[in-house]
Amino acid sequence: MNVLEKFKLNNLVAVVTGAGKGIGRGIAISLAEAGADIVVASRNKKDLEETSIAISSVGKKCLVVPTDVTKKGELENLALKTKNEFGKIDIWVNNAGGLPDATPRYMSKTSEDEFDAQINLNLKAVWSGCVIASNYMQETGGSIINISSATSKNMKPNIKNGPYGAAKSAVNSLTASFSLELAPNIRVNAIAPGPIPTENFKDSLNLSNQQEVDSLTKVLNIPLQRLGEVEDIGSAVVFMASPASSWITGQCLFVDGGS
Ligand code: NAD
């Protein structure tokens, strides 16, 4: 097969969680541009419908399924609706996650409820997604991609959000375990983004204007001298979803400008 052909996702069906905005929307559009039909899931139907319009404009089908990923039954419903509409699931991206606001969540001071909320969204929902997606991929094969974070690199401490950092580090470990259990038919990889100024990112750091966002490149000392864009993550996900990466499983790819 010609090498460029290996990056194409024609006739494949991809599910993306947290696809209503930010990185998830970018991933969904990139997968559609590469040729896949897309199922978009997050809690807000209006956001999903906006993503759906963008996907339709690149000529691919899009199914909107409002879903709270912390509820396993809703993830099961998402998989079932995808199967009913498209007959199969080839690609599943566990992207929904993040921090709700700029409140510091120190490891030693966080409440049990807050710790549970971080683990449920950023780790347990990824586990549920992997279990459910893999049940639908057993015979046909597929690729599962978990969105981790550069905060998980080399056991770097997360200064203000310990529970989030711990959850994302555990996502890398969970990815490796699933990859062994699900080989050879299903590949499981993680993508770990560096700083990307999405709404969630700006809220979590209390950044109120573009100047503050721009100054981060220097503060964070990013070797490639810019913040990331959602398309940077979209390209990496297309690679991990496509036959171009067919001999790669159990890996975490850091897409972080080298920081
Ligand atoms: P975002 O807030 O812009 O988008 C997150 C999406 O997930 C939204 O559509 C939101 O509605 C959805 N979501 C949140 N909780 C949900 C739930 N319980 N059920 C269903 N959907 C839910 O955030 P983002 O910056 O695009 O982050 C996307 C992913 O990338 C997250 O997993 C985040 O941890 C990770 N990440 C982001 C950055 C960054 O710099 N932006 C860096 C590293 C990792």
Side-chain angles (χ1 to χ4, degrees), residues 18-24 41-43 67-70 95-98 121-122 147-150 164 168 193-196 198-201:
K21 52 189 171 183
I23 292 173
S42 82
R43 290 164 305 177
T67 306
D68 180 343
V69 298
T70 61
N95 163 77
L121 175 60
N122 289 298
I147 302 303
S148 174
S149 166
Y164 172 80
K168 290 296 191 181
I196 299 185
T198 59
E199 217 173 285
N200 186 280
F201 179 82

Side-chain angles (χ1 to χ4, degrees), residues 124-147:
K124 193 173 170 197
V126 176
W127 168 76
S128 305
C130 289
V131 171
I132 291 163
S134 62
N135 284 337
Y136 283 80
M137 292 173 171
Q138 294 293 355
E139 283 162 27
T140 49
S143 173
I144 298 173
I145 297 151
N146 299 324
I147 302 303

Side-chain angles (χ1 to χ4, degrees), residues 11-71:
N11 303 316
L12 299 183
V13 176
V15 175
V16 183
T17 69
K21 52 189 171 183
I23 292 173
R25 177 179 287 173
I27 291 170
I29 295 170
S30 294
L31 290 169
E33 286 174 348
D37 291 321
I38 313 291
V39 181
V40 289
S42 82
R43 290 164 305 177
N44 186 316
K45 193 171 180 205
K46 194 168 162 287
D47 287 346
L48 292 174
E49 282 166 353
E50 280 176 33
T51 305
S52 173
I53 291 169
I55 288 168
S56 302
S57 76
V58 302
K60 301 313 298 183
K61 290 184 199 146
C62 183
L63 176 69
V64 166
V65 185
T67 306
D68 180 343
V69 298
T70 61
K71 296 180 177 149

Side-chain angles (χ1 to χ4, degrees), residues 29-214:
I29 295 170
S30 294
L31 290 169
E33 286 174 348
D37 291 321
I38 313 291
V39 181
V40 289
S42 82
R43 290 164 305 177
N44 186 316
K45 193 171 180 205
K46 194 168 162 287
D47 287 346
L48 292 174
E49 282 166 353
E50 280 176 33
T51 305
S52 173
I53 291 169
I55 288 168
S56 302
S57 76
V58 302
K60 301 313 298 183
K61 290 184 199 146
C62 183
L63 176 69
V64 166
V65 185
T67 306
D68 180 343
V69 298
T70 61
K71 296 180 177 149
K72 198 160 180 248
E74 294 197 16
L75 280 172
E76 276 158 0
N77 172 62
L78 169 63
L80 188 62
K81 286 225 163 96
T82 304
K83 172 90 173 164
N84 288 345
E85 178 77 13
F86 293 112
K88 61 175 184 163
I89 302 173
D90 301 296
I91 299 156
W92 183 290
V93 185
N94 289 306
N95 163 77
L99 291 156
D101 52 48
T103 313
R105 292 166 175 85
Y106 298 109
M107 216 33 150
S108 52
K109 295 189 181 126
T110 202
S111 69
E112 190 174 344
D113 283 353
E114 190 55 45
F115 186 82
D116 284 347
Q118 281 302 305
I119 297 299
N120 284 340
L121 175 60
N122 289 298
L123 175 60
K124 193 173 170 197
V126 176
W127 168 76
S128 305
C130 289
V131 171
I132 291 163
S134 62
N135 284 337
Y136 283 80
M137 292 173 171
Q138 294 293 355
E139 283 162 27
T140 49
S143 173
I144 298 173
I145 297 151
N146 299 324
I147 302 303
S148 174
S149 166
T151 194
S152 69
K153 205 173 196 176
N154 302 330
M155 275 188 74
K156 203 160 45 181
N158 191 308
I159 298 161
K160 285 193 177 161
N161 288 295
Y164 172 80
K168 290 296 191 181
S169 295
V171 164
N172 301 354
S173 171
L174 166 156
T175 298
S177 301
F178 270 116
S179 75
L180 270 188
E181 292 175 27
L182 299 177
N185 274 0
I186 303 169
R187 297 186 298 114
V188 190
N189 290 289
I191 304 280
I196 299 185
T198 59
E199 217 173 285
N200 186 280
F201 179 82
K202 287 187 266 187
D203 288 350
S204 68
L205 290 181
N206 240 341
L207 302 172
S208 52
N209 60 51
Q210 193 55 38
Q211 235 179 344
E212 285 178 359
V213 172
D214 293 341

